[in-house]
Amino acid sequence: MGGCLASIAGLCACQACTCISKEMLRKSARMAYCTLFSVALILSWILRDFAPTIMKKLPWILPGSGFEPSDRWYGQQAVFRLSMGNWLFFSFMALATLGVKYKSDKRDQYLHHGNWLVKLGLWLLFSALPFLFHNGVISLYGYLARFGSGIFLIVQMVILLDFAQTWNDAWVAMEDERYLYALLVATVGCAVGIVAMVAVLFYWFNPDGPDCSFNVSAICVTILLAVVLPAASMHPKATNGSLFPAAVVALYCTYLCYSALQSEPHDYECNSLGRRLNAASGSTLALGMGVTLASVVWSALRVGSNTDTFLGGGGEAGGEAGRPLLERVEAGEQDGTSAGLDGDADPPAQQPAMSAGVNTRGAAMADFEPVTYNYAWFHLIFSLASMYIAMLMTGWGSGAEEKNLLDVSWLSVGVKLTTELFTAGLFLWTLAAPALFPDRSFA
């Protein structure tokens, strides 16, 4: 008797968990896709450091004669192939959901939000397929991934600029003066953060003894940007300039400088922080890598969900132009334009028919409820982020990554410093463009 009760209780628990998981997947598809992406990140990390032994046993992956590959080369191959599988999966989803505007679209229910076992099978299939490809195909994908990763970084910059400007405009528009004081406090906080990070940069990346002119030059350029950006935003010609967005961008540029110098090889004599990390415990290294991976997942989710900045509407159907036709017709009826030819109310005999018609229109309007974000854009961003995984794990394809380290190579240093300059230039362009082209709208 007790065994039967235990079996029934276990069955009920399984059914409850199944129902809850299905409902969660149906309501929050983005979190499910983030989970798949996170699993791919962790697998890439594991395969890079521990897959060479297995990869050496695959004869079609072995390079031609005259080249003796190292374990790093095999690890890079594993990362590229898994990254390509995720890129194929999310690119397929982007194409399959292209043009979905309303929740009544079958692709919303069955493709984007439903059939998770089928999609899990597709994800596994796409992830395994590149391990059968020839090395030439993977090399081509490696070059393509550099380009895609650059686009991913640029999109992040645009989102940052839009976020800072939107935040500033929203608080300035408030009638309560406390919001202006809050903006002032936030701006001062950014300035304090910049000063603190510059002190950290000089402390860790300009030690006494060795010639660290490269690091000092990078830090000095960052300080110059931190001065130029706020000054440019206060110029009379910068009609949309404001101190808070400039402070946010300057703080981000300072962080990029720190991240770039931290990516220098840990045996470099001017990277005191790297030498300290080499002597750190495994848990400290794992924590640092975990924070890096989590930031990539968060960036992909944030950019993928932000449709307004790039496509002008979260669901492609926002605004008056995308307003469902039935909704506009009903609005006209409520204004009395379709009651009778003279605008009088309908006769009492027609009231039941009118009620039935209203119910029918209500059901039809429910079918034209716009989606909350652009599904194709969301999957496209995750496909680009999949390319960024490959660059992050392999030092932008240089193969210089050490075991238990992430994003450490001179090529990574160059990419991050270039990103810093590009971000500052993009912000300066947003200030100068309205003055240079007064006839164009930059709203």
Side-chain angles (χ1 to χ4, degrees):
M1 186 67 178
C4 291
L5 291 176
S7 299
I8 294 173
L11 178 62
C12 292
C14 290
Q15 291 290 343
C17 292
T18 301
C19 293
I20 292 174
S21 61
K22 286 183 178 179
E23 185 66 16
M24 289 178 63
L25 291 175
R26 189 177 70 85
K27 292 293 185 180
S28 184
R30 281 178 285 191
M31 297 309 300
Y33 290 117
C34 280
T35 301
L36 286 180
F37 185 74
S38 301
V39 171
L41 268 173
I42 296 173
L43 286 177
S44 298
W45 179 12
I46 296 174
L47 289 177
R48 189 199 65 176
D49 293 343
F50 301 103
T53 303
I54 301 176
M55 298 288 289
K56 292 177 182 178
K57 297 180 181 180
L58 303 179
W60 59 88
I61 294 181
L62 294 176
S65 59
F67 175 67
E68 292 294 334
S70 62
D71 286 348
R72 292 183 186 178
W73 185 86
Y74 283 109
Q76 178 176 297
Q77 285 289 311
V79 170
F80 277 173
R81 292 168 192 270
L82 184 60
S83 168
M84 185 178 185
N86 277 268
W87 173 72
L88 290 172
F89 172 76
F90 284 110
S91 297
F92 167 78
M93 291 297 298
L95 292 174
T97 56
L98 187 64
V100 176
K101 297 182 179 180
Y102 304 106
K103 293 183 178 180
S104 59
D105 195 312
K106 296 299 183 182
R107 290 175 293 172
D108 182 305
Q109 180 180 357
Y110 296 108
L111 187 58
H112 185 73
H113 284 96
N115 293 315
W116 284 101
L117 287 179
V118 175
K119 285 188 288 190
L120 179 60
L122 280 176
W123 179 75
L124 293 173
L125 176 63
F126 279 124
S127 297
L129 190 62
F131 285 88
L132 303 177
F133 291 168
H134 188 269
N135 291 342
V137 177
I138 304 303
S139 298
L140 179 61
Y141 171 76
Y143 289 108
L144 181 64
R146 291 181 176 89
F147 179 74
S149 300
I151 296 177
F152 179 71
L153 292 176
I154 292 174
V155 170
Q156 284 193 75
M157 300 175 208
V158 176
I159 292 294
L160 173 70
L161 296 179
D162 178 73
F163 165 76
Q165 191 64 48
T166 302
W167 183 359
N168 179 83
D169 294 343
W171 281 19
V172 169
M174 296 291 183
E175 297 181 357
D176 194 340
E177 289 186 355
R178 289 178 295 180
Y179 285 95
L180 298 179
Y181 290 119
L183 268 182
L184 178 61
V185 171
T187 304
V188 173
C190 290
V192 172
I194 292 171
V195 173
M197 291 187 67
V198 167
V200 170
L201 289 173
F202 276 111
Y203 180 78
W204 285 116
F205 303 107
N206 185 31
D208 295 332
D211 180 16
C212 301
S213 55
F214 174 79
N215 289 1
V216 173
S217 299
I219 298 172
C220 290
V221 170
T222 300
I223 296 174
L224 180 63
L225 292 177
V227 175
V228 169
L229 295 181
S233 66
M234 299 305 295
H235 193 276
K237 294 290 186 180
T239 56
N240 60 338
S242 183
L243 278 178
F244 177 68
V248 171
V249 175
L251 181 63
Y252 181 65
C253 288
T254 308
Y255 164 75
L256 285 176
C257 180
Y258 167 80
S259 181
L261 299 184
Q262 187 186 26
S263 295
E264 292 175 338
H266 285 189
D267 57 356
Y268 180 49
E269 57 184 0
C270 293
N271 188 357
S272 300
L273 181 60
R275 295 200 302 273
R276 174 67 65 87
L277 290 177
N278 279 339
S281 62
S283 59
T284 303
L285 293 173
L287 178 62
M289 297 179 74
V291 170
T292 301
L293 299 182
S295 66
V296 174
V297 175
W298 180 80
S299 297
L301 177 62
R302 179 191 63 179
V303 175
S305 302
N306 190 321
T307 308
D308 294 342
T309 303
F310 296 91
L311 303 179
E316 294 183 289
E320 184 66 27
R323 194 178 172 192
L325 179 61
L326 287 174
E327 183 178 339
R328 282 179 271 164
V329 171
E330 184 179 5
E333 291 177 351
Q334 291 174 350
D335 292 336
T337 57
S338 62
L341 293 177
D342 55 357
D344 295 334
D346 292 312
Q350 297 182 9
Q351 294 301 323
M354 286 281 294
S355 300
V358 170
N359 292 334
T360 302
R361 285 193 298 271
M365 287 176 59
D367 291 338
F368 284 91
E369 181 182 359
V371 296
T372 55
Y373 61 97
N374 188 292
Y375 299 155
W377 171 258
F378 176 83
H379 292 296
L380 175 63
I381 291 300
F382 269 81
S383 70
L384 295 176
S386 300
M387 292 180 165
Y388 185 65
I389 292 177
M391 298 297 100
L392 192 69
M393 294 289 176
T394 63
W396 288 81
S398 64
E401 290 288 350
E402 298 283 350
K403 189 175 181 179
N404 296 327
L405 295 179
L406 191 65
D407 200 23
V408 175
S409 71
W410 283 111
L411 192 54
S412 296
V413 174
V415 169
K416 292 178 179 179
L417 291 178
T418 302
T419 303
E420 176 188 357
L421 296 176
F422 193 93
T423 302
L426 187 61
F427 177 75
L428 292 175
W429 169 251
T430 62
L431 298 177
L436 294 176
F437 303 97
D439 297 333
R440 297 184 59 182
S441 174
F442 293 90

